[in-house]
Amino acid sequence: ETVVSGYTFDEPVITGNVCVAGQSGADVKVILDESYAKTKLNTKECCVNMLESGVRIYFAKGAPIQEEYSAIGKKVRNAYGLQHSKTVRVGHWWLTGSCNWSTSSRCNLEVDTLTELHCERTASEQEKVLFQNAARQEREQIMGYIAQIHEEEAVKAERKSAERRSASAGRTVTD
């Protein structure tokens, strides 16, 4: 079994290897932050490729943040924390650290630690934490998120075009 968790996820080598593992018949699960994954086209396209390779995708969110902020006298809107873990578990090996699984993270100074787990219970307990607020995603859901991004981009492009037309309508050309 392989379990990957990340906040950002679009690095081609990593996603390619996850797809190969899924195509080979391995039990592969990927857990991503819901708010990030639903709004980033590159991540969603990676999700579609992974789903088509047999990988199970989950979107997760952190716990509600109101109680934490109330405890220090601050008010915040109804919101959730992030699924911000960056881990990989393959069998009894556990990799964890600060590295995001994204193209941009290749330029960061990151540190990860590889640990051999000697107890299956340890891995199971860690995975319970990762999956506690996770919801499995199907291809149709992710394709819907991609369509939503394309629609939003089209609306923005049309708005910019209308603004340019409006601005140029008020101008005259003089020689």
Side-chain angles (χ1 to χ4, degrees), residues 49-95:
N49 292 337
M50 289 186 290
L51 282 167
E52 291 174 350
S53 298
V55 175
R56 289 182 281 166
I57 305 290
Y58 296 82
F59 288 170
K61 57 186 173 186
I65 64 173
Q66 293 76 15
E67 187 176 318
E68 293 296 324
Y69 280 86
S70 292
I72 60 170
K74 293 187 176 185
K75 291 185 179 184
V76 294
R77 61 180 168 77
N78 289 340
Y80 289 85
L82 303 172
Q83 187 308 113
H84 205 249
S85 64
K86 296 105 173 178
T87 65
V88 176
R89 182 173 83 85
V90 180
H92 62 278
W93 291 99
W94 184 273
L95 177 73

mmCIF file of all heavy atoms in Angstrom, residues 49-95:
data_model
loop_
_atom_site.group_PDB
_atom_site.id
_atom_site.type_symbol
_atom_site.label_atom_id
_atom_site.label_comp_id
_atom_site.label_asym_id
_atom_site.label_seq_id
_atom_site.Cartn_x
_atom_site.Cartn_y
_atom_site.Cartn_z
ATOM 1 N N ASN A 49 -5.242 12.383 -14.273
ATOM 2 C CA ASN A 49 -4.282 11.381 -14.742
ATOM 3 C C ASN A 49 -4.109 10.261 -13.709
ATOM 4 O O ASN A 49 -4.048 9.083 -14.075
ATOM 5 C CB ASN A 49 -2.922 12.024 -15.032
ATOM 6 C CG ASN A 49 -2.968 12.945 -16.227
ATOM 7 O OD1 ASN A 49 -3.832 12.821 -17.089
ATOM 8 N ND2 ASN A 49 -2.045 13.881 -16.281
ATOM 9 N N MET A 50 -4.030 10.632 -12.440
ATOM 10 C CA MET A 50 -3.863 9.613 -11.400
ATOM 11 C C MET A 50 -5.100 8.726 -11.292
ATOM 12 O O MET A 50 -4.985 7.501 -11.178
ATOM 13 C CB MET A 50 -3.522 10.264 -10.058
ATOM 14 C CG MET A 50 -2.114 10.844 -10.033
ATOM 15 S SD MET A 50 -1.599 11.478 -8.418
ATOM 16 C CE MET A 50 -2.633 12.944 -8.256
ATOM 17 N N LEU A 51 -6.288 9.335 -11.342
ATOM 18 C CA LEU A 51 -7.519 8.549 -11.283
ATOM 19 C C LEU A 51 -7.576 7.556 -12.437
ATOM 20 O O LEU A 51 -7.948 6.394 -12.254
ATOM 21 C CB LEU A 51 -8.742 9.456 -11.323
ATOM 22 C CG LEU A 51 -9.099 10.163 -10.029
ATOM 23 C CD1 LEU A 51 -10.114 11.264 -10.285
ATOM 24 C CD2 LEU A 51 -9.617 9.183 -9.005
ATOM 25 N N GLU A 52 -7.198 8.004 -13.627
ATOM 26 C CA GLU A 52 -7.211 7.130 -14.795
ATOM 27 C C GLU A 52 -6.162 6.022 -14.690
ATOM 28 O O GLU A 52 -6.246 5.028 -15.394
ATOM 29 C CB GLU A 52 -7.021 7.950 -16.070
ATOM 30 C CG GLU A 52 -8.228 8.816 -16.364
ATOM 31 C CD GLU A 52 -8.053 9.766 -17.534
ATOM 32 O OE1 GLU A 52 -6.911 9.918 -18.033
ATOM 33 O OE2 GLU A 52 -9.062 10.354 -17.959
ATOM 34 N N SER A 53 -5.202 6.191 -13.784
ATOM 35 C CA SER A 53 -4.163 5.178 -13.556
ATOM 36 C C SER A 53 -4.511 4.243 -12.401
ATOM 37 O O SER A 53 -3.699 3.407 -12.017
ATOM 38 C CB SER A 53 -2.828 5.865 -13.259
ATOM 39 O OG SER A 53 -2.417 6.631 -14.363
ATOM 40 N N GLY A 54 -5.695 4.420 -11.822
ATOM 41 C CA GLY A 54 -6.127 3.545 -10.748
ATOM 42 C C GLY A 54 -5.826 4.051 -9.349
ATOM 43 O O GLY A 54 -6.032 3.332 -8.364
ATOM 44 N N VAL A 55 -5.345 5.279 -9.238
ATOM 45 C CA VAL A 55 -5.035 5.874 -7.933
ATOM 46 C C VAL A 55 -6.324 6.423 -7.332
ATOM 47 O O VAL A 55 -7.140 7.017 -8.040
ATOM 48 C CB VAL A 55 -3.988 7.001 -8.100
ATOM 49 C CG1 VAL A 55 -3.736 7.721 -6.787
ATOM 50 C CG2 VAL A 55 -2.697 6.441 -8.681
ATOM 51 N N ARG A 56 -6.510 6.225 -6.035
ATOM 52 C CA ARG A 56 -7.665 6.812 -5.347
ATOM 53 C C ARG A 56 -7.256 8.184 -4.818
ATOM 54 O O ARG A 56 -6.217 8.323 -4.189
ATOM 55 C CB ARG A 56 -8.144 5.915 -4.223
ATOM 56 C CG ARG A 56 -8.807 4.657 -4.782
ATOM 57 C CD ARG A 56 -9.329 3.771 -3.702
ATOM 58 N NE ARG A 56 -8.192 3.033 -3.152
ATOM 59 C CZ ARG A 56 -8.234 2.355 -2.019
ATOM 60 N NH1 ARG A 56 -9.321 2.333 -1.292
ATOM 61 N NH2 ARG A 56 -7.171 1.700 -1.590
ATOM 62 N N ILE A 57 -8.080 9.195 -5.094
ATOM 63 C CA ILE A 57 -7.799 10.577 -4.712
ATOM 64 C C ILE A 57 -8.773 10.990 -3.615
ATOM 65 O O ILE A 57 -9.975 10.741 -3.708
ATOM 66 C CB ILE A 57 -7.974 11.537 -5.917
ATOM 67 C CG1 ILE A 57 -7.115 11.107 -7.099
ATOM 68 C CG2 ILE A 57 -7.700 12.980 -5.502
ATOM 69 C CD1 ILE A 57 -5.645 11.284 -6.911
ATOM 70 N N TYR A 58 -8.229 11.682 -2.616
ATOM 71 C CA TYR A 58 -9.040 12.212 -1.521
ATOM 72 C C TYR A 58 -8.704 13.687 -1.358
ATOM 73 O O TYR A 58 -7.535 14.072 -1.440
ATOM 74 C CB TYR A 58 -8.733 11.493 -0.199
ATOM 75 C CG TYR A 58 -9.082 10.028 -0.222
ATOM 76 C CD1 TYR A 58 -8.210 9.100 -0.782
ATOM 77 C CD2 TYR A 58 -10.285 9.576 0.316
ATOM 78 C CE1 TYR A 58 -8.537 7.752 -0.811
ATOM 79 C CE2 TYR A 58 -10.605 8.228 0.294
ATOM 80 C CZ TYR A 58 -9.734 7.317 -0.276
ATOM 81 O OH TYR A 58 -10.044 5.988 -0.307
ATOM 82 N N PHE A 59 -9.724 14.509 -1.144
ATOM 83 C CA PHE A 59 -9.518 15.909 -0.791
ATOM 84 C C PHE A 59 -9.866 16.042 0.685
ATOM 85 O O PHE A 59 -10.892 15.542 1.132
ATOM 86 C CB PHE A 59 -10.407 16.843 -1.606
ATOM 87 C CG PHE A 59 -10.001 16.987 -3.051
ATOM 88 C CD1 PHE A 59 -10.842 17.630 -3.939
ATOM 89 C CD2 PHE A 59 -8.798 16.499 -3.536
ATOM 90 C CE1 PHE A 59 -10.501 17.795 -5.263
ATOM 91 C CE2 PHE A 59 -8.446 16.652 -4.862
ATOM 92 C CZ PHE A 59 -9.298 17.298 -5.730
ATOM 93 N N ALA A 60 -9.003 16.711 1.427
ATOM 94 C CA ALA A 60 -9.202 16.855 2.871
ATOM 95 C C ALA A 60 -9.080 18.312 3.265
ATOM 96 O O ALA A 60 -8.515 19.127 2.546
ATOM 97 C CB ALA A 60 -8.173 16.017 3.632
ATOM 98 N N LYS A 61 -9.622 18.615 4.409
ATOM 99 C CA LYS A 61 -9.451 19.947 4.980
ATOM 100 C C LYS A 61 -9.104 19.783 6.445
ATOM 101 O O LYS A 61 -9.348 18.730 7.037
ATOM 102 C CB LYS A 61 -10.699 20.795 4.794
ATOM 103 C CG LYS A 61 -11.969 20.209 5.368
ATOM 104 C CD LYS A 61 -13.160 21.069 4.998
ATOM 105 C CE LYS A 61 -14.456 20.402 5.417
ATOM 106 N NZ LYS A 61 -15.608 21.143 4.954
ATOM 107 N N GLY A 62 -8.531 20.797 7.002
ATOM 108 C CA GLY A 62 -8.188 20.767 8.421
ATOM 109 C C GLY A 62 -9.428 20.928 9.276
ATOM 110 O O GLY A 62 -10.557 20.942 8.793
ATOM 111 N N ALA A 63 -9.202 21.090 10.541
ATOM 112 C CA ALA A 63 -10.292 21.255 11.505
ATOM 113 C C ALA A 63 -10.833 22.686 11.449
ATOM 114 O O ALA A 63 -10.153 23.597 10.969
ATOM 115 C CB ALA A 63 -9.775 20.940 12.904
ATOM 116 N N PRO A 64 -12.056 22.905 11.951
ATOM 117 C CA PRO A 64 -12.579 24.274 12.039
ATOM 118 C C PRO A 64 -11.633 25.140 12.877
ATOM 119 O O PRO A 64 -11.101 24.688 13.887
ATOM 120 C CB PRO A 64 -13.925 24.100 12.733
ATOM 121 C CG PRO A 64 -14.292 22.672 12.521
ATOM 122 C CD PRO A 64 -12.997 21.913 12.460
ATOM 123 N N ILE A 65 -11.441 26.390 12.464
ATOM 124 C CA ILE A 65 -10.455 27.251 13.134
ATOM 125 C C ILE A 65 -11.059 28.182 14.179
ATOM 126 O O ILE A 65 -10.330 28.802 14.946
ATOM 127 C CB ILE A 65 -9.651 28.080 12.113
ATOM 128 C CG1 ILE A 65 -10.561 29.058 11.365
ATOM 129 C CG2 ILE A 65 -8.899 27.175 11.165
ATOM 130 C CD1 ILE A 65 -9.814 30.031 10.469
ATOM 131 N N GLN A 66 -12.390 28.292 14.249
ATOM 132 C CA GLN A 66 -13.023 29.264 15.134
ATOM 133 C C GLN A 66 -12.624 29.071 16.600
ATOM 134 O O GLN A 66 -12.309 30.030 17.294
ATOM 135 C CB GLN A 66 -14.546 29.213 15.017
ATOM 136 C CG GLN A 66 -15.102 29.667 13.707
ATOM 137 C CD GLN A 66 -14.919 28.625 12.611
ATOM 138 O OE1 GLN A 66 -14.626 27.468 12.850
ATOM 139 N NE2 GLN A 66 -15.060 29.061 11.377
ATOM 140 N N GLU A 67 -12.626 27.851 17.079
ATOM 141 C CA GLU A 67 -12.330 27.588 18.483
ATOM 142 C C GLU A 67 -10.904 28.026 18.848
ATOM 143 O O GLU A 67 -10.681 28.628 19.898
ATOM 144 C CB GLU A 67 -12.510 26.098 18.790
ATOM 145 C CG GLU A 67 -12.380 25.763 20.256
ATOM 146 C CD GLU A 67 -12.655 24.295 20.520
ATOM 147 O OE1 GLU A 67 -13.603 23.735 19.926
ATOM 148 O OE2 GLU A 67 -11.918 23.720 21.335
ATOM 149 N N GLU A 68 -9.964 27.751 17.970
ATOM 150 C CA GLU A 68 -8.568 28.132 18.238
ATOM 151 C C GLU A 68 -8.432 29.651 18.329
ATOM 152 O O GLU A 68 -7.742 30.173 19.197
ATOM 153 C CB GLU A 68 -7.638 27.592 17.160
ATOM 154 C CG GLU A 68 -7.517 26.081 17.159
ATOM 155 C CD GLU A 68 -6.887 25.524 18.420
ATOM 156 O OE1 GLU A 68 -5.971 26.164 18.975
ATOM 157 O OE2 GLU A 68 -7.313 24.441 18.846
ATOM 158 N N TYR A 69 -9.086 30.359 17.411
ATOM 159 C CA TYR A 69 -8.992 31.822 17.419
ATOM 160 C C TYR A 69 -9.780 32.436 18.578
ATOM 161 O O TYR A 69 -9.355 33.428 19.169
ATOM 162 C CB TYR A 69 -9.439 32.396 16.075
ATOM 163 C CG TYR A 69 -8.351 32.302 15.037
ATOM 164 C CD1 TYR A 69 -8.177 31.154 14.262
ATOM 165 C CD2 TYR A 69 -7.469 33.359 14.833
ATOM 166 C CE1 TYR A 69 -7.166 31.060 13.329
ATOM 167 C CE2 TYR A 69 -6.454 33.277 13.899
ATOM 168 C CZ TYR A 69 -6.308 32.121 13.152
ATOM 169 O OH TYR A 69 -5.293 32.040 12.225
ATOM 170 N N SER A 70 -10.917 31.842 18.905
ATOM 171 C CA SER A 70 -11.701 32.334 20.044
ATOM 172 C C SER A 70 -10.903 32.239 21.335
ATOM 173 O O SER A 70 -11.002 33.107 22.207
ATOM 174 C CB SER A 70 -13.002 31.541 20.186
ATOM 175 O OG SER A 70 -13.851 31.806 19.111
ATOM 176 N N ALA A 71 -10.100 31.192 21.452
ATOM 177 C CA ALA A 71 -9.305 30.988 22.668
ATOM 178 C C ALA A 71 -8.301 32.115 22.895
ATOM 179 O O ALA A 71 -7.896 32.358 24.029
ATOM 180 C CB ALA A 71 -8.572 29.646 22.588
ATOM 181 N N ILE A 72 -7.928 32.839 21.836
ATOM 182 C CA ILE A 72 -6.986 33.959 22.004
ATOM 183 C C ILE A 72 -7.681 35.307 21.781
ATOM 184 O O ILE A 72 -7.031 36.321 21.558
ATOM 185 C CB ILE A 72 -5.750 33.811 21.088
ATOM 186 C CG1 ILE A 72 -6.154 33.774 19.610
ATOM 187 C CG2 ILE A 72 -4.941 32.589 21.473
ATOM 188 C CD1 ILE A 72 -4.980 33.873 18.649
ATOM 189 N N GLY A 73 -9.036 35.267 21.829
ATOM 190 C CA GLY A 73 -9.800 36.504 21.762
ATOM 191 C C GLY A 73 -10.002 37.076 20.373
ATOM 192 O O GLY A 73 -10.328 38.247 20.225
ATOM 193 N N LYS A 74 -9.834 36.284 19.338
ATOM 194 C CA LYS A 74 -10.026 36.769 17.969
ATOM 195 C C LYS A 74 -11.249 36.108 17.347
ATOM 196 O O LYS A 74 -11.562 34.958 17.624
ATOM 197 C CB LYS A 74 -8.792 36.467 17.115
ATOM 198 C CG LYS A 74 -7.578 37.244 17.543
ATOM 199 C CD LYS A 74 -6.441 37.031 16.564
ATOM 200 C CE LYS A 74 -5.256 37.908 16.950
ATOM 201 N NZ LYS A 74 -4.198 37.820 15.963
ATOM 202 N N LYS A 75 -11.919 36.875 16.502
ATOM 203 C CA LYS A 75 -13.062 36.351 15.771
ATOM 204 C C LYS A 75 -12.652 36.141 14.322
ATOM 205 O O LYS A 75 -11.959 36.975 13.732
ATOM 206 C CB LYS A 75 -14.236 37.326 15.828
ATOM 207 C CG LYS A 75 -14.845 37.438 17.199
ATOM 208 C CD LYS A 75 -16.071 38.325 17.169
ATOM 209 C CE LYS A 75 -16.669 38.409 18.562
ATOM 210 N NZ LYS A 75 -17.897 39.173 18.584
ATOM 211 N N VAL A 76 -13.086 35.027 13.766
ATOM 212 C CA VAL A 76 -12.813 34.728 12.362
ATOM 213 C C VAL A 76 -14.073 34.161 11.738
ATOM 214 O O VAL A 76 -14.965 33.680 12.425
ATOM 215 C CB VAL A 76 -11.646 33.717 12.198
ATOM 216 C CG1 VAL A 76 -10.337 34.303 12.659
ATOM 217 C CG2 VAL A 76 -11.942 32.421 12.909
ATOM 218 N N ARG A 77 -14.112 34.221 10.440
ATOM 219 C CA ARG A 77 -15.254 33.659 9.715
ATOM 220 C C ARG A 77 -15.225 32.143 9.828
ATOM 221 O O ARG A 77 -14.225 31.557 10.246
ATOM 222 C CB ARG A 77 -15.204 34.092 8.249
ATOM 223 C CG ARG A 77 -13.963 33.609 7.527
ATOM 224 C CD ARG A 77 -13.946 34.069 6.071
ATOM 225 N NE ARG A 77 -12.666 33.867 5.466
ATOM 226 C CZ ARG A 77 -12.186 32.704 5.035
ATOM 227 N NH1 ARG A 77 -12.898 31.613 5.152
ATOM 228 N NH2 ARG A 77 -10.994 32.609 4.483
ATOM 229 N N ASN A 78 -16.302 31.508 9.458
ATOM 230 C CA ASN A 78 -16.328 30.048 9.458
ATOM 231 C C ASN A 78 -15.339 29.564 8.418
ATOM 232 O O ASN A 78 -15.512 29.806 7.225
ATOM 233 C CB ASN A 78 -17.728 29.527 9.123
ATOM 234 C CG ASN A 78 -18.696 29.759 10.249
ATOM 235 O OD1 ASN A 78 -18.288 29.965 11.391
ATOM 236 N ND2 ASN A 78 -19.979 29.730 9.945
ATOM 237 N N ALA A 79 -14.297 28.925 8.852
ATOM 238 C CA ALA A 79 -13.264 28.445 7.949
ATOM 239 C C ALA A 79 -12.599 27.217 8.548
ATOM 240 O O ALA A 79 -12.817 26.875 9.710
ATOM 241 C CB ALA A 79 -12.233 29.540 7.690
ATOM 242 N N TYR A 80 -11.811 26.586 7.730
ATOM 243 C CA TYR A 80 -11.095 25.392 8.151
ATOM 244 C C TYR A 80 -9.610 25.589 7.934
ATOM 245 O O TYR A 80 -9.185 26.364 7.074
ATOM 246 C CB TYR A 80 -11.554 24.176 7.327
ATOM 247 C CG TYR A 80 -12.942 23.738 7.682
ATOM 248 C CD1 TYR A 80 -14.054 24.334 7.100
ATOM 249 C CD2 TYR A 80 -13.144 22.738 8.615
ATOM 250 C CE1 TYR A 80 -15.336 23.934 7.440
ATOM 251 C CE2 TYR A 80 -14.413 22.326 8.964
ATOM 252 C CZ TYR A 80 -15.510 22.931 8.371
ATOM 253 O OH TYR A 80 -16.759 22.538 8.718
ATOM 254 N N GLY A 81 -8.827 24.843 8.700
ATOM 255 C CA GLY A 81 -7.399 24.806 8.476
ATOM 256 C C GLY A 81 -7.108 24.041 7.192
ATOM 257 O O GLY A 81 -8.008 23.643 6.453
ATOM 258 N N LEU A 82 -5.840 23.821 6.936
ATOM 259 C CA LEU A 82 -5.408 23.160 5.706
ATOM 260 C C LEU A 82 -5.041 21.708 5.960
ATOM 261 O O LEU A 82 -4.654 21.330 7.066
ATOM 262 C CB LEU A 82 -4.173 23.870 5.151
ATOM 263 C CG LEU A 82 -4.303 25.350 4.855
ATOM 264 C CD1 LEU A 82 -2.942 25.920 4.505
ATOM 265 C CD2 LEU A 82 -5.305 25.583 3.744
ATOM 266 N N GLN A 83 -5.113 20.899 4.925
ATOM 267 C CA GLN A 83 -4.469 19.587 4.925
ATOM 268 C C GLN A 83 -3.056 19.914 4.471
ATOM 269 O O GLN A 83 -2.802 20.119 3.304
ATOM 270 C CB GLN A 83 -5.157 18.650 3.947
ATOM 271 C CG GLN A 83 -4.704 17.204 3.957
ATOM 272 C CD GLN A 83 -3.224 16.949 3.837
ATOM 273 O OE1 GLN A 83 -2.611 16.477 4.772
ATOM 274 N NE2 GLN A 83 -2.616 17.250 2.721
ATOM 275 N N HIS A 84 -2.147 20.084 5.406
ATOM 276 C CA HIS A 84 -0.822 20.620 5.099
ATOM 277 C C HIS A 84 0.286 19.588 5.274
ATOM 278 O O HIS A 84 1.471 19.913 5.190
ATOM 279 C CB HIS A 84 -0.559 21.850 5.981
ATOM 280 C CG HIS A 84 0.429 22.788 5.398
ATOM 281 N ND1 HIS A 84 1.676 22.977 5.942
ATOM 282 C CD2 HIS A 84 0.365 23.572 4.304
ATOM 283 C CE1 HIS A 84 2.336 23.859 5.211
ATOM 284 N NE2 HIS A 84 1.567 24.230 4.213
ATOM 285 N N SER A 85 -0.065 18.334 5.514
ATOM 286 C CA SER A 85 0.964 17.312 5.676
ATOM 287 C C SER A 85 1.609 16.998 4.337
ATOM 288 O O SER A 85 1.001 17.146 3.283
ATOM 289 C CB SER A 85 0.364 16.037 6.275
ATOM 290 O OG SER A 85 -0.574 15.480 5.383
ATOM 291 N N LYS A 86 2.858 16.607 4.403
ATOM 292 C CA LYS A 86 3.603 16.207 3.212
ATOM 293 C C LYS A 86 4.268 14.891 3.552
ATOM 294 O O LYS A 86 5.320 14.850 4.177
ATOM 295 C CB LYS A 86 4.664 17.243 2.826
ATOM 296 C CG LYS A 86 4.096 18.586 2.418
ATOM 297 C CD LYS A 86 4.317 19.552 3.514
ATOM 298 C CE LYS A 86 3.903 20.951 3.069
ATOM 299 N NZ LYS A 86 4.071 21.899 4.124
ATOM 300 N N THR A 87 3.615 13.798 3.194
ATOM 301 C CA THR A 87 4.103 12.480 3.584
ATOM 302 C C THR A 87 3.990 11.498 2.435
ATOM 303 O O THR A 87 3.190 11.686 1.511
ATOM 304 C CB THR A 87 3.307 11.912 4.776
ATOM 305 O OG1 THR A 87 1.961 11.689 4.361
ATOM 306 C CG2 THR A 87 3.322 12.846 5.969
ATOM 307 N N VAL A 88 4.781 10.453 2.526
ATOM 308 C CA VAL A 88 4.653 9.298 1.637
ATOM 309 C C VAL A 88 4.875 8.070 2.509
ATOM 310 O O VAL A 88 5.828 8.011 3.277
ATOM 311 C CB VAL A 88 5.705 9.302 0.504
ATOM 312 C CG1 VAL A 88 5.593 8.032 -0.338
ATOM 313 C CG2 VAL A 88 5.576 10.536 -0.371
ATOM 314 N N ARG A 89 3.963 7.114 2.398
ATOM 315 C CA ARG A 89 4.182 5.825 3.055
ATOM 316 C C ARG A 89 4.110 4.757 1.996
ATOM 317 O O ARG A 89 3.140 4.662 1.246
ATOM 318 C CB ARG A 89 3.144 5.533 4.130
ATOM 319 C CG ARG A 89 3.453 4.183 4.810
ATOM 320 C CD ARG A 89 2.586 3.891 5.987
ATOM 321 N NE ARG A 89 1.297 3.329 5.643
ATOM 322 C CZ ARG A 89 1.062 2.040 5.439
ATOM 323 N NH1 ARG A 89 2.026 1.150 5.499
ATOM 324 N NH2 ARG A 89 -0.162 1.626 5.163
ATOM 325 N N VAL A 90 5.174 3.984 1.901
ATOM 326 C CA VAL A 90 5.216 2.819 1.024
ATOM 327 C C VAL A 90 5.601 1.647 1.917
ATOM 328 O O VAL A 90 6.727 1.589 2.419
ATOM 329 C CB VAL A 90 6.245 2.993 -0.113
ATOM 330 C CG1 VAL A 90 6.264 1.752 -1.005
ATOM 331 C CG2 VAL A 90 5.943 4.240 -0.937
ATOM 332 N N GLY A 91 4.633 0.762 2.120
ATOM 333 C CA GLY A 91 4.886 -0.361 3.022
ATOM 334 C C GLY A 91 5.231 0.151 4.408
ATOM 335 O O GLY A 91 4.485 0.923 4.997
ATOM 336 N N HIS A 92 6.380 -0.259 4.915
ATOM 337 C CA HIS A 92 6.771 0.154 6.268
ATOM 338 C C HIS A 92 7.751 1.333 6.264
ATOM 339 O O HIS A 92 8.386 1.626 7.264
ATOM 340 C CB HIS A 92 7.341 -1.040 7.048
ATOM 341 C CG HIS A 92 8.580 -1.631 6.438
ATOM 342 N ND1 HIS A 92 8.532 -2.517 5.403
ATOM 343 C CD2 HIS A 92 9.879 -1.441 6.715
ATOM 344 C CE1 HIS A 92 9.757 -2.852 5.061
ATOM 345 N NE2 HIS A 92 10.599 -2.217 5.844
ATOM 346 N N TRP A 93 7.855 2.024 5.136
ATOM 347 C CA TRP A 93 8.700 3.223 5.051
ATOM 348 C C TRP A 93 7.821 4.464 5.056
ATOM 349 O O TRP A 93 6.823 4.528 4.335
ATOM 350 C CB TRP A 93 9.565 3.198 3.796
ATOM 351 C CG TRP A 93 10.612 2.135 3.873
ATOM 352 C CD1 TRP A 93 10.557 0.886 3.311
ATOM 353 C CD2 TRP A 93 11.844 2.212 4.578
ATOM 354 N NE1 TRP A 93 11.687 0.185 3.623
ATOM 355 C CE2 TRP A 93 12.494 0.976 4.400
ATOM 356 C CE3 TRP A 93 12.464 3.192 5.341
ATOM 357 C CZ2 TRP A 93 13.735 0.706 4.964
ATOM 358 C CZ3 TRP A 93 13.695 2.920 5.890
ATOM 359 C CH2 TRP A 93 14.320 1.691 5.700
ATOM 360 N N TRP A 94 8.205 5.453 5.849
ATOM 361 C CA TRP A 94 7.439 6.694 6.015
ATOM 362 C C TRP A 94 8.367 7.872 5.757
ATOM 363 O O TRP A 94 9.381 8.031 6.425
ATOM 364 C CB TRP A 94 6.891 6.747 7.439
ATOM 365 C CG TRP A 94 6.019 7.914 7.739
ATOM 366 C CD1 TRP A 94 6.422 9.149 8.161
ATOM 367 C CD2 TRP A 94 4.607 7.976 7.658
ATOM 368 N NE1 TRP A 94 5.347 9.968 8.353
ATOM 369 C CE2 TRP A 94 4.216 9.275 8.045
ATOM 370 C CE3 TRP A 94 3.625 7.063 7.298
ATOM 371 C CZ2 TRP A 94 2.895 9.671 8.086
ATOM 372 C CZ3 TRP A 94 2.309 7.460 7.336
ATOM 373 C CH2 TRP A 94 1.944 8.745 7.730
ATOM 374 N N LEU A 95 8.012 8.688 4.759
ATOM 375 C CA LEU A 95 8.764 9.902 4.447
ATOM 376 C C LEU A 95 7.906 11.085 4.865
ATOM 377 O O LEU A 95 6.730 11.174 4.485
ATOM 378 C CB LEU A 95 9.060 9.982 2.947
ATOM 379 C CG LEU A 95 9.775 11.241 2.454
ATOM 380 C CD1 LEU A 95 11.236 11.217 2.891
ATOM 381 C CD2 LEU A 95 9.681 11.336 0.940
#
